[in-house]
Each structure stands twice: as C-alpha cells, then as structure tokens.
Amino acid sequence: MKTIALVLVLFALLAAAGCEGPQGPEGRGLGSLDDPSIAPAVIYTYPVANSIGPYPGLEKQLCGDQPCWYVTEILVRFNKFMDIASVRRSVKLSSSSGDLRADSNRIGSTGGDYFYIRPVETIGYNYQLPFPVGAICTLQVGQGATDINGNHLVPPYSMTFVPEPYFRVRGFYPPAGITDVHPVFGGPIIYFNSPVDSGIFPYISITPALSGTWVNYDRGMTLYYSGARLDNSTEYTVKVKRGAPDTLGHTLPAPFASSFGTVTFDLTRISPGYYYGADSLDLDTPIYAEFTSNIDSASASRSISVSPATPLRLRRVGNQVEISPALGWMESTVYRLSVDSSLESSAGRRLPRSYEYNFATRRFMVRGSYPQDSSQEVPVNNNISIYTNAPLDTASIRGAFHIEPAVPVSFRFYEGVSGFGVDPLPAFQYQTWYTVRIDTTLRYKLGPGLSEEYVFRFRTW
C-alpha cells in the first residue's frame, strides 16, 4: 500500500509540474561541449525525469555474432563532454523493490556526452524486464562526475521514474490486426508485466472457442495457449477482462482485447519442386508438399497422384505430406505430381484449386561406396558398403558383386533399401590392394540394370 501511495503522490506532482526533467544551460552550440567556462549539467534522460511509465523504449534489442538478446537501457545526456570514468563511478541506481543497481561495467558512452546505463540485478545478472508493479526507481549522478575540463557536476543530479505503475498486458502474439497467420504456428501468447497463475484463466476468453490449455512460463509472466487447432480463414479475438489478477494482489485496471486472422487453406510449397533438368531427382527421393494448415490424411490418399502411375507411400508430418515412391521412381522420366482440390485440412476445409508440378528423375546409379575409391590403410576387418540411388532388386545383388583378389564374403541387404553391405569372412589380407566391381546386372525395383559398371579400389594395412 505504501508503494501505491507513493505512485499516487508522483501522479499529483506531475499533474502540477509536468513531466520535463532538468534542462541545464543551452550552451553555445557544439563548441560549448568543451567550453571550460560552462558547468556540466544533465539535460536529458530516458525515462524522462520524475515521470510515470510504462516506457516502450526501455528495452533494447542487441544483435551480433550470437543470437539477439534484450537489455534494459536507461539514457542520460550531459551538456558537456564528460570524463567517462568519473561518470561511471558516480552513477547510482536503485529501486523501492530493492532488485536492481548500476554496474560501472555496464555504463557506456557515445561521444562523451551521451551515456547509457544497463542495470543489473542486485546479485549481478542482467536485469530482466518488466520492473515490479509500483516500484519507484531512483537515478543519481553524484558530484564526483566531472567534465573534460575538470568541472564537477554541482549540484548532483537525482531523478525518479515509475516503469510499471499498474498491472497490464505488455505484449501479445500474433500482432494485433495481422491476417496471414498460419494455423500451424500454435496458439496465441499473452505477455504480462507481473506473474500470473491459473487464477487468471477465468478472465481470459478466445472467440471462436478453441480446445487447448493455457501454459505458464517465463517466471510466470507469459501465457501460451497450447494444444490449439486453429482453423483457416478465421478471425480470432483474445480478451482479458478488467479485474484479472496477478499473483501479487494487483488487478487489471482496464480490459484487454486483440484480434488476428488466419490464412486460407492452400498449398504453399513443393520440394524439390519444378523440373530442374534431365538429371534432377534420385529414384528414392521423397517429395514434400507443404500446406498452410495440418491436413486430413485420408483425403491426401485420395487427392495426391503422379503420372506415369507409380505406387506411393504418403506420410503426414503436421502441415506437410511426404510423398515417397514405394518401389522407387522410374529412371530418366518426367513425372507430373497432381494435388486435387478435394484435399482437406484437418478442420475440413478444401484447397481453393488443384495443383500440378513436374519433376524429372536421374538414371539408376551407384552413388558411392565405403571405403571410397583409392582409400588406404583400411582395417582388414572393415566391411564394404555400396550406396545406390534407388531401392534394389535384392535378387541381383550377389551376382553383380565382384572383388579381386577373391575373398569369401557375406551380404547384408534389406527390401526397399538403396544399397547393401558386404562383410569379409573372416577378414581381408594385410597390405593388399582390392578392386571391387559392381557390374551392370545390378537392378533396381522398377527398371533395368546399371548403365555402366561401378569400380573402386582400396588398400588394407
């Protein structure tokens, strides 16, 4: 109650005197910044001296080589070029909540007259917004601060500000009025300036209604609506009623509302997409169709096809469909992928139109081997792996594999896999060059053998 009373007193003082802080002498232009006859003074601060927030510019985003982060930044400007070290020693920052202080290592200057102060928690960590509701902050610059001419700041400077005078919603996602939200992004997020718990849930509504749950995180100051299944082409409104409580006894003084809209249900991307040339797609490579919402698996099976006809395996992954050839694509073929407008979202909405995409396939080939060609110092108990670009006809593997000098081997292969393994029995010879040849009788599921032999060599140690 004492804190709230102090805030009310400040309101009254501001009403009588305005919110302007000390202005200091005007000086005589840029030259006055180093004029020894002019005494130093504070001419500007942010937040404004003896004012009441909230302050939208108190949080600053910093970006560098690392991911972006946010800092709290208080600004002070002098009418003189100041001795930076003396200012750092003279700045004091405190709060009626007792949770912050100034750290000289986090006080910087631009030009010598403009200073920024990034407060820290009393234990030394970067200060995290928001400030406690009703907390009164005091900024002081002692007379130990001097300008570059040695003049001291007399009298010393002091000001107060109230960053968070009341409990409020300090942010909302998606931004108000946006109309192109993808339903797969998840539910809305509400950012408060004070911790909340389940006691606030009865005060929050979403229209149209959604089946989900509010989840609390970020020190209790953020609510995320989890498990929501948003629909396409829909405007949603989130409201928080007046009187909604935080966990510290404060209540929302005014209602809050924000609305956003979702995009229509549509196909947004096909990967790998259009026909790139004669040799583009390996014969075992799936295609991905991405939509603006989660889709209905049953309708996908009816609505997605390729020409020439090829057996397909469809797998839904959220708002994507993975389209895989059950036996591989045919080599050196141009395909047409069709997505019919009868395809539905999980909420029952249909595509606005049908889509067709073309893609081409490569010839059947061996992609590579292990060991690689010309490898040396290969362990004698090392196995051999052959990688192809299509699921193999396993009956053709044994007859197509040749190794010189001859050595007993066993084979490892599985239906639907693009490649096979070979193990020596019991091991290769030491310090020996081996030549492996995969001849043209190696076939894949849908087509003929290799167009040319694949050969590689390796040496054991």
Side-chain angles (χ1 to χ4, degrees):
M1 296 300 294
K2 290 182 179 179
T3 298
I4 299 300
L6 287 171
V7 173
L8 293 175
V9 169
L10 280 174
F11 269 120
L13 290 174
L14 289 171
C19 295
E20 292 187 358
Q23 298 301 307
E26 293 183 1
R28 298 189 294 272
L30 186 61
S32 66
L33 290 171
D34 59 5
D35 187 337
S37 67
I38 297 177
V42 174
I43 58 174
Y44 171 79
T45 64
Y46 187 85
V48 174
N50 307 320
S51 66
I52 294 176
Y55 307 106
L58 201 53
E59 187 174 58
K60 183 177 181 179
Q61 185 182 45
L62 300 178
C63 298
D65 294 335
Q66 302 298 320
C68 296
W69 70 99
Y70 291 88
V71 296
T72 308
E73 196 166 88
I74 298 167
L75 306 179
V76 179
R77 189 170 188 179
F78 296 85
N79 68 332
K80 296 291 298 295
F81 292 133
M82 302 296 290
D83 177 76
I84 295 175
S86 71
V87 173
R88 286 174 173 164
R89 292 192 299 266
S90 303
V91 170
K92 292 184 178 179
L93 187 64
S94 61
S95 169
S96 60
S97 59
D99 63 339
L100 84 162
R101 63 180 175 85
D103 181 348
S104 60
N105 293 321
R106 291 177 172 83
I107 299 175
S109 177
T110 301
D113 60 330
Y114 185 93
F115 288 79
Y116 56 86
I117 303 161
R118 294 170 184 163
V120 297
E121 297 177 353
T122 51
I123 57 176
Y125 297 121
N126 286 332
Y127 192 78
Q128 297 185 65
L129 290 182
F131 290 83
V133 172
I136 301 174
C137 297
T138 301
L139 172 66
Q140 297 174 304
V141 185
Q143 63 182 11
T146 61
D147 62 20
I148 59 173
N149 308 115
N151 299 316
H152 288 266
L153 182 68
V154 179
Y157 181 78
S158 180
M159 58 88 90
T160 62
F161 59 99
V162 184
E164 297 291 348
Y166 51 83
F167 175 46
R168 67 187 178 95
V169 174
R170 61 189 294 260
F172 183 82
Y173 183 84
I178 195 170
T179 59
D180 59 352
V181 175
H182 284 217
V184 294
F185 96 96
I189 304 174
I190 309 176
Y191 304 93
F192 294 95
N193 69 338
S194 188
V196 299
D197 58 18
S198 59
I200 201 173
F201 294 171
Y203 293 82
I204 305 175
S205 63
I206 303 177
T207 307
L210 293 170
S211 57
T213 305
W214 288 108
V215 177
N216 192 311
Y217 67 102
D218 184 27
R219 299 170 292 154
M221 298 188 187
T222 301
L223 291 181
Y224 165 66
Y225 200 71
S226 176
R229 296 182 62 181
L230 303 182
D231 195 2
N232 295 93
S233 305
T234 302
E235 181 179 85
Y236 290 92
T237 300
V238 178
K239 295 181 179 180
V240 185
K241 294 180 182 178
R242 175 183 178 182
D246 67 3
T247 61
L248 303 176
H250 308 108
T251 58
L252 204 66
F256 170 84
S258 187
S259 299
F260 63 93
T262 55
V263 296
T264 59
F265 177 55
D266 209 346
L267 175 67
T268 58
R269 185 170 65 95
I270 289 284
S271 176
Y274 289 98
Y275 173 68
Y276 290 125
D279 299 314
S280 63
L281 200 65
D282 281 320
L283 311 185
D284 57 357
T285 301
I287 294 174
Y288 293 89
E290 184 175 299
F291 300 86
T292 58
S293 184
N294 293 343
I295 67 160
D296 175 70
S297 299
S299 71
S301 299
R302 298 189 304 266
S303 307
I304 297 176
S305 62
V306 294
S307 177
T310 299
L312 299 177
R313 283 197 301 261
L314 303 181
R315 185 171 70 98
R316 183 179 68 84
V317 184
N319 63 320
Q320 285 191 343
V321 180
E322 181 185 79
I323 307 165
S324 301
L327 303 176
W329 307 112
M330 293 185 292
E331 68 175 356
S332 304
T333 301
V334 176
Y335 278 91
R336 174 168 294 174
L337 171 67
S338 299
V339 182
D340 189 80
S341 61
S342 62
L343 188 141
E344 297 180 356
S345 71
S346 56
R349 294 185 180 271
R350 290 192 170 190
L351 289 176
R353 65 183 182 88
S354 297
Y355 293 88
E356 290 185 343
Y357 290 88
N358 294 332
F359 64 94
T361 59
R362 297 178 178 175
R363 60 185 176 85
F364 173 50
M365 60 189 294
V366 175
R367 275 193 284 220
S369 64
Y370 177 78
Q372 295 179 348
D373 186 32
S374 300
S375 295
Q376 299 190 45
E377 298 187 353
V378 175
V380 294
N381 59 352
N382 199 85
N383 56 31
I384 296 173
S385 297
I386 305 297
Y387 310 106
T388 62
N389 70 339
L392 294 176
D393 176 357
T394 56
S396 70
I397 291 175
R398 287 185 174 87
F401 178 85
H402 309 276
I403 185 168
E404 294 290 341
V407 60
V409 296
S410 64
F411 293 87
R412 289 176 288 106
F413 48 79
Y414 306 93
E415 287 293 329
V417 175
S418 301
F420 61 94
V422 181
D423 301 313
L425 296 176
F428 295 114
Q429 297 296 316
Y430 288 99
Q431 297 181 353
T432 302
W433 278 100
Y434 285 90
T435 300
V436 176
R437 181 168 59 89
I438 312 299
D439 70 30
T440 57
T441 63
L442 183 69
R443 300 186 303 274
Y444 72 106
K445 288 287 187 181
L446 291 183
L450 293 172
S451 60
E452 59 184 25
E453 289 187 335
Y454 182 84
V455 180
F456 66 96
R457 301 172 69 238
F458 66 91
R459 184 179 187 275
T460 58
W461 64 1

